[in-house]
Amino acid sequence: MSLTVQTEQRGDMVVVSVAGELDMATAPQLQDQISDLLEKGRTRLVFDLAEVSFCDSTGLSVFVRAKNSTDDAGGMVRLAAPQRGVLRILEVSGLVEVLHTYQTVDEAVSAQAPALD
């Protein structure tokens, strides 16, 4: 399965909508998009995961690298609307506590402080 990535500017945040399977074959595509955003100074990222049907450890590592890069630049990463299977992977890995996760994109964009749901 392929991966599609679209971005939308919302105030000072960039919503990165990801759809498909995020795995070893497709993670580089998302990583390239993130690198492009960071090079343009976009360091406040919300990843909309509503359409991600699968995410393996390679996909998780993309989010961790994005968080590390944005933290270094004074920005942040938030995850939004993960499907049950993806949320379970985040929970089991312990990353749901590191990668602040919200039920909806709107919650992630408007949140003042990190929240775990």
Side-chain angles (χ1 to χ4, degrees), residues 67-84:
K67 181 189 184 322
N68 292 339
S69 295
T70 58
D71 285 354
D72 290 346
M76 57 99 217
V77 164
R78 295 177 180 164
L79 305 182
Q83 292 184 24
R84 183 174 305 219

Side-chain angles (χ1 to χ4, degrees), residues 28-98:
Q29 178 184 346
L30 179 58
Q31 185 62 56
D32 288 347
Q33 184 71 37
I34 294 166
S35 295
D36 288 346
L37 289 168
L38 294 174
E39 286 175 15
K40 294 175 183 172
R42 306 293 193 258
T43 60
R44 298 175 54 81
L45 308 177
V46 172
F47 290 94
D48 178 358
L49 305 180
E51 299 298 321
V52 175
S53 57
F54 175 80
C55 181
D56 69 6
S57 61
T58 311
L60 293 179
S61 70
V62 170
F63 296 127
V64 171
R65 281 194 302 275
K67 181 189 184 322
N68 292 339
S69 295
T70 58
D71 285 354
D72 290 346
M76 57 99 217
V77 164
R78 295 177 180 164
L79 305 182
Q83 292 184 24
R84 183 174 305 219
V86 174
L87 180 59
R88 181 74 180 130
I89 292 167
L90 290 165
E91 290 170 343
V92 168
S93 67
L95 289 175
V96 74
E97 297 174 15
V98 175

